[in-house]
Amino acid sequence: MTRRDIEFDAEGVTLRGWFYPAEGATGPAPTIVATHGFSAVKEMYLDVYAEAFAAAGLNAVVYDHRNFGASDGEPRQEIDPVAQVRDYRHAITFASTLAETDPQRIGVWGSSYSGAHVLVVAAIDRRVKAVVSQVPLVSGLANLYALVRADFVGGLRESFDVDREARYAGDSPAMIPVVSEDPLGPAALPTADSWTWFTDTAKLRAPAWRNETTLRSVEMFTEYEPVAHIAAISPTPLLLMPAQHDHLTPTRLAIDAYERAREPKKIVILPGGHFDAYVDGFSVSSTAATDWFVEHLQP
């Protein structure tokens, strides 16, 4: 599979990634724009999804979020969901300028936190002609109460306030681990499978990943409500793929959100938990996504 390095401007911040050309294309082809979830970098299996899309005759643009991996941006390791949504739109603009792209046939793919972003992007950007949202966050506030013990929520909110006061005084943003081996330790993603997947995947294929994010990123997580946009995606075709046993972005929340979406839409329940979509369940998740894009973007 031939790919090339890319970079593009996102209103003053350079974002970097890879372009995968559609196999067998004899002219401009559909292009899928994709990036990763909370704190993850493109080496964490985005390449295998891009290869699957390319093998089906679809171009793929994959990139690292601002402040992460190969992309520029400050402060490092900060995750602003609104900025990431806007960067998806910058990536769509970039993809539209490529000679290989038919700008009338652009799809967006996202997973976990970026699975949330593509719901928003598809609702507000009509250049998107098909969307796939895999194991998505749909409500930051509901997810907070699903992940954090009730007796810990007050302390977490107090830490947000302390961090705000410190930043106001000129201090750097406080940091928090993304994952922790201790299920009761401080972490943005406090589940055992999060610790296992991130640490194992970093060792295997993503040495650029760092186990830290700003505490402010977690606060912005709690403010983010992509489900508010889901009904406005129509008439763009939506494929939603929750995992059967997902307790990081709970399955029931995604299914409830799906009921609020309008046609055309389809739901595919992936096997296993949140992170199985990338490895053991990759064949199921990639095939469903590829088939959806081919159906709605190929002539």
Side-chain angles (χ1 to χ4, degrees), residues 7-16 63-67 71-74 82-94:
E7 62 177 44
F8 56 94
D9 177 64
E11 294 186 331
V13 175
T14 299
L15 305 184
R16 298 183 178 88
Y63 65 95
D64 281 330
H65 290 293
R66 66 174 58 217
N67 310 335
S71 291
D72 292 347
E74 298 288 342
V82 174
Q84 291 186 348
V85 165
R86 290 172 179 159
D87 287 342
Y88 253 107
R89 304 185 72 190
H90 296 313
I92 290 169
T93 301
F94 166 74

Side-chain angles (χ1 to χ4, degrees), residues 254-284:
I255 293 174
D256 287 347
Y258 178 78
E259 294 302 317
R260 295 171 60 173
R262 298 188 176 120
E263 299 289 347
K265 63 179 181 177
K266 181 180 180 180
I267 190 167
V268 171
I269 307 298
L270 299 176
H274 185 86
F275 297 100
D276 288 314
Y278 306 110
V279 189
D280 293 341
F282 170 74
S283 177
V284 176

Side-chain angles (χ1 to χ4, degrees), residues 41-186:
V41 292
K42 63 186 182 301
E43 290 83 3
M44 291 172 144
Y45 297 104
L46 279 192
D47 52 342
V48 294
Y49 283 95
E51 289 168 1
F53 298 151
L58 307 163
N59 300 312
V61 168
V62 302
Y63 65 95
D64 281 330
H65 290 293
R66 66 174 58 217
N67 310 335
F68 285 85
S71 291
D72 292 347
E74 298 288 342
R76 299 305 290 176
Q77 304 301 117
E78 177 146 293
I79 305 165
D80 180 339
V82 174
Q84 291 186 348
V85 165
R86 290 172 179 159
D87 287 342
Y88 253 107
R89 304 185 72 190
H90 296 313
I92 290 169
T93 301
F94 166 74
S96 299
T97 70
L98 299 175
E100 296 93 339
T101 294
D102 178 349
Q104 299 305 313
R105 293 187 288 160
I106 288 179
V108 291
W109 177 97
S111 187
S112 195
Y113 213 34
S114 66
H117 300 341
V118 295
L119 299 176
V120 181
V121 172
I124 63 180
D125 196 324
R126 290 302 165 194
R127 295 176 297 175
V128 174
K129 298 303 190 291
V131 55
V132 173
S133 175
Q134 174 176 289
V135 293
L137 170 103
V138 295
S139 166
L141 195 60
N143 228 107
L144 168 72
Y145 289 115
L147 287 179
V148 179
R149 268 178 37 177
D151 55 333
F152 287 0
V153 171
L156 179 62
R157 293 195 180 280
E158 288 177 8
S159 70
F160 294 159
D161 297 338
V162 170
D163 183 43
R164 281 183 170 275
E165 292 170 4
R167 296 197 317 266
Y168 185 80
D171 293 345
S172 298
M175 306 299 290
I176 186 173
V178 176
V179 294
S180 173
E181 190 171 14
D182 178 359
L184 296 180

